[in-house]
Amino acid sequence: VKTDYSVGAPIRLVWEGLPSNLPQLAKIAPALTRLKERHTFELHVVTDPARERLKGLLGEVDTLRFLQQHFDRFTFHEWGEGTCSTIVSACDIALIPIDLTDPFVRGKPENKLLLLWRMGMPAIVAGTPAYKRAMAQVGTPQLACASNDQWVDAFEYLFASEEARREAANRGRIHAETHHGPHMVL
């Protein structure tokens, strides 16, 4: 569980997921481009190097190639059961972008957010119904974003204050542990 909420330069942002969900991450590329003008940060991506799409019928997602097409700087970490939480918790802020125009992905539950909160991670998320509800329940509705402007505002809010990062993470961790106890399967 993360305990240190200070940040250095660069600030470390982290995304974790399947390669087939990388297009979700690309949705916030415009917000990250805007942030580069004022802040130094690193994007850390924790995923597999490649993954078949639709059981191979739609080819394969090549993670590094995709990231190179959408981001000028990033650090790739291969997902591993024994290393994932260590890599994520070594970063400063977790990201869960979702394409809000896609009804299928917009309907995802908040499992990933709960997992990040259990790690003690402050997170900025897309404004899906589940994520908005969870963020409202912990008192951080400004961290559920529906536009690039809101993503930038949320980054600025967490970038500016160690206390804001600690508070967002602690509220989330308490919520996850209290309302989604150890019996919850993530």
Side-chain angles (χ1 to χ4, degrees), residues 12-16 43-44 46 87-88 91 93-95 121:
R12 295 166 308 219
L13 306 175
V14 63
W15 178 88
E16 182 276 335
L43 175 61
H44 291 257
V46 184
I87 294 165
V88 170
C91 292
I93 300 168
L95 312 174
M121 288 300 295

Side-chain angles (χ1 to χ4, degrees), residues 51-125:
R51 180 91 175 211
E52 288 183 344
R53 293 175 50 207
L54 198 60
K55 299 188 182 209
L57 295 174
L58 296 177
E60 186 175 85
V61 175
D62 180 328
T63 297
L64 290 176
R65 184 170 166 208
F66 182 92
L67 291 170
Q68 290 165 346
Q69 290 171 343
H70 291 88
F71 303 99
D72 55 355
R73 289 186 315 208
F74 60 87
T75 301
F76 169 74
H77 303 271
E78 186 166 357
W79 193 95
E81 186 175 346
T83 59
C84 182
S85 64
T86 302
I87 294 165
V88 170
S89 61
C91 292
D92 301 310
I93 300 168
L95 312 174
I96 310 176
I98 298 282
D99 180 357
L100 296 175
T101 65
D102 183 334
F104 180 74
V105 293
R106 190 177 65 235
K108 286 185 170 188
E110 68 271 25
N111 292 20
K112 184 179 289 199
L113 177 59
L114 294 170
L115 179 64
L116 291 167
W117 280 345
R118 283 176 184 262
M119 289 183 216
M121 288 300 295
I124 303 173
V125 301

Side-chain angles (χ1 to χ4, degrees), residues 105-156:
V105 293
R106 190 177 65 235
K108 286 185 170 188
E110 68 271 25
N111 292 20
K112 184 179 289 199
L113 177 59
L114 294 170
L115 179 64
L116 291 167
W117 280 345
R118 283 176 184 262
M119 289 183 216
M121 288 300 295
I124 303 173
V125 301
T128 68
Y131 289 151
K132 282 172 45 177
R133 181 181 60 249
M135 287 296 190
Q137 288 171 341
V138 302
T140 56
Q142 72 275 26
L143 299 179
C145 309
S147 69
N148 278 310
D149 287 341
Q150 289 179 355
W151 277 94
V152 170
D153 291 346
F155 282 122
E156 293 287 1

Side-chain angles (χ1 to χ4, degrees), residues 9-30:
I11 297 169
R12 295 166 308 219
L13 306 175
V14 63
W15 178 88
E16 182 276 335
L18 294 172
S20 56
N21 288 326
L22 282 167
Q24 306 302 318
L25 179 59
K27 291 292 178 184
I28 63 166

